[in-house]
């Protein structure tokens, strides 16, 4: 089935990117968030992505304006989903918030609507029943900076309809993604099965005062040739999301390292307004972070 109208729910770091990329590729997109203030923030975020579309993809002002004009913004959920063939959910990475969202969504979405979550760490089988339409529910996981880091991991649960899965794979391709189908449920998909342990290891080195963030990043960049170290990546992810992930781990495992990392993120960064690149400062200061300095890897 070809989708005609897409709704993106949650218009934060990832939701705003998914919505804009989908509109850029020609779909009408309804953006849903909890209130007008959040929606205004989303519009500002989207304007911030536009220069990257010009720089990285050669997009013209006209194309960017057209994409923006294909988007509509709603704080009323029923209104936001009334035409949706597909709802892509990008609300905060908390089981209680997502469960509550799906309960409300199930009450107002048309029967045809497929629900896909962009959750980074949770499994589709956790929410399949609460959606009220388990066969039309799966995960569609994007990476940050979606316009150039164009992975779309597609992961069903055992009850996801095959055709629904295949339609979502085709949709992902139609918005310029490389679709990466998973054969079974895997916490963290492919990407985060690799990335989360890596970022946790880096944060443990910092929280245990083994080395500072710049030294850890330098080590990784020099030794592997990678363009970014773990703390530059964490700034892109956003420290609130990083905190939610590590705090959930600390609660589930009582791992003292995880708790130390969560406390460090909260006390030394989040409480001071250092939320990552989107807020202008995280582990680095933006727009000219130290790791982009030509001398960074030389001394
Ligand atoms: P974020 O905190 O930047 O944005 C969340 C948005 O959801 C905010 O705009 C908030 O106002 C809104 N929201 C809160 N409660 C809501 C509700 N009940 N209904 C609708 N909207 C609500 O978070 P984010 O980093 O964009 O993450 C969103 C999802 O995307 C998470 O599941 C996360 O795991 C996933 N994800 C994040 C990244 C990343 O790098 N940040 C990458 C891939 C996937």
């Amino acid at each position: 089935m070809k989708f005609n109208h897409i709704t993106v729910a949650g218009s934060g770091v990832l939701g705003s990117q998914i919505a804009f990329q989908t509109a850029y590729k020609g779909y009408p997109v309804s953006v849903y968030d909890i209130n007008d203030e959040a929606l205004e923030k989303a519009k500002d975020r989207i304007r911030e992505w536009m220069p990257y579309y010009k720089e990285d993809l050669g997009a013209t002002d006209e194309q960017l304006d057209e994409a923006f004009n294909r988007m509509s913004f709603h704080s009323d959920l029923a209104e936001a989903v009334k035409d949706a063939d597909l709802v892509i959910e990008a609300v905060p990475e908390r089981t209680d918030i997502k469960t509550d969202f799906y309960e409300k969504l199930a009450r107002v979405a048309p029967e045809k609507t497929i629900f896909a979550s962009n959750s980074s760490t949770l499994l589709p089988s956790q929410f399949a029943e609460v959606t009220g339409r388990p066969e039309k529910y799966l995960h569609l996981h994007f990476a940050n900076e979606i316009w150039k880091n164009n992975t779309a991991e597609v992961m069903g649960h055992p009850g996801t309809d095959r055709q629904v899965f295949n339609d979502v794979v085709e949709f992902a391709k139609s918005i310029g993604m490389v679709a990466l189908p998973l054969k079974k449920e895997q916490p963290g998909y492919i990407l985060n099965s690799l990335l989360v342990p890596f970022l946790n290891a880096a944060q443990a080195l910092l929280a245990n005062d083994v080395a500072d963030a710049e030294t850890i990043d330098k080590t990784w960049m020099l030794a592997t040739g990678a363009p970014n170290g773990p703390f530059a990546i964490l700034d892109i992810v956003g420290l609130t999301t990083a905190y939610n992930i590590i705090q959930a781990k600390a609660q589930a495992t009582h791992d003292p390292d995880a708790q130390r990392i969560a406390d460090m993120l909260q006390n030394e960064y989040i409480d001071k307004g250092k939320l990552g690149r989107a807020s202008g400062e995280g582990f680095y200061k933006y727009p000219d972070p130290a790791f982009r300095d030509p001398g960074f890897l030389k001394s």
Side-chain angles (χ1 to χ4, degrees):
M1 187 182 99
K2 194 180 169 313
F3 301 147
N4 294 313
H5 193 107
I6 310 299
T7 296
V8 176
S11 58
V13 175
L14 251 283
S16 63
Q17 294 182 30
I18 298 166
F20 189 65
Q21 176 70 20
T22 304
Y24 181 71
K25 288 291 177 175
Y27 289 89
V29 177
S30 297
V31 178
Y32 167 74
D33 211 305
I34 43 175
N35 54 37
D36 290 343
E37 196 190 333
L39 292 168
E40 285 309 312
K41 244 194 220 164
K43 289 178 198 168
D44 290 345
R45 275 210 173 92
I46 290 164
R47 288 190 193 99
E48 278 171 32
W49 308 134
M50 289 183 181
Y52 296 103
Y53 275 74
K54 284 188 181 171
E55 204 177 304
D56 297 333
L57 307 179
T60 63
D61 284 328
E62 198 188 349
Q63 286 171 319
L64 295 172
D65 286 345
E66 280 172 10
F68 194 81
N69 291 336
R70 276 191 282 273
M71 306 174 82
S72 59
F73 295 83
H74 311 265
S75 56
D76 179 315
L77 185 58
E79 181 62 29
V81 301
K82 71 179 187 341
D83 298 322
D85 294 306
L86 172 69
V87 173
I88 304 172
E89 171 270 304
V91 310
E93 189 72 346
R94 277 184 29 194
T95 307
D96 55 343
I97 296 180
K98 289 197 193 286
T99 302
D100 180 62
F101 171 75
Y102 284 122
E103 277 168 6
K104 291 188 175 124
L105 179 64
R107 287 201 284 272
V108 295
E111 203 184 313
K112 65 169 182 179
T113 311
I114 294 167
F115 300 168
S117 176
N118 182 49
S119 168
S120 296
T121 59
L122 305 166
L123 290 175
S125 54
Q126 283 175 261
F127 302 102
E129 285 312 315
V130 79
T131 65
R133 58 189 78 194
E135 71 292 348
K136 292 200 191 81
Y137 180 63
L138 76 175
H139 283 196
L140 174 59
H141 182 238
F142 298 97
N144 210 326
E145 307 200 341
I146 184 172
W147 60 91
K148 61 178 173 138
N149 300 337
N150 58 337
T151 56
E153 295 176 284
V154 186
M155 178 166 82
H157 62 92
T160 305
D161 184 276
R162 247 313 102 189
Q163 189 59 47
V164 166
F165 188 95
N166 293 338
D167 287 347
V168 170
V169 165
E170 289 310 312
F171 163 75
K173 292 183 193 166
S174 76
I175 60 162
M177 299 296 112
V178 174
L180 304 162
L182 274 75
K183 295 182 191 169
K184 54 162 89 165
E185 283 198 324
Q186 161 68 26
Y189 311 80
I190 299 166
L191 175 64
N192 282 326
S193 295
L194 300 166
L195 185 60
V196 173
F198 169 67
L199 296 180
N200 286 351
Q203 292 175 96
L205 290 171
L206 181 66
N208 290 327
D209 208 22
V210 175
D212 62 37
E214 290 195 7
T215 305
I216 297 166
D217 274 8
K218 252 184 228 178
T219 309
W220 184 254
M221 291 162 76
L222 274 171
T224 67
N228 289 328
F231 291 98
I233 296 173
L234 280 160
D235 276 351
I236 296 172
V237 170
L239 273 57
T240 310
T241 296
Y243 172 83
N244 287 338
I245 293 170
I246 200 74
Q247 182 61 25
K249 184 179 180 203
Q251 269 168 5
T253 63
H254 302 288
D255 174 354
D257 256 1
Q259 194 57 57
R260 209 170 294 129
I261 294 169
D263 293 345
M264 171 190 77
L265 290 174
Q266 179 82 62
N267 299 332
E268 289 171 43
Y269 296 91
I270 295 170
D271 284 353
K272 295 180 180 165
K274 299 178 184 178
L275 304 180
R277 201 174 74 176
S279 74
E281 186 171 355
F283 293 102
Y284 294 93
K285 284 194 178 143
Y286 298 85
D288 298 311
F291 62 86
R292 286 280 167 263
D293 188 301
F296 185 69
L297 294 180
K298 301 217 166 87
S299 60

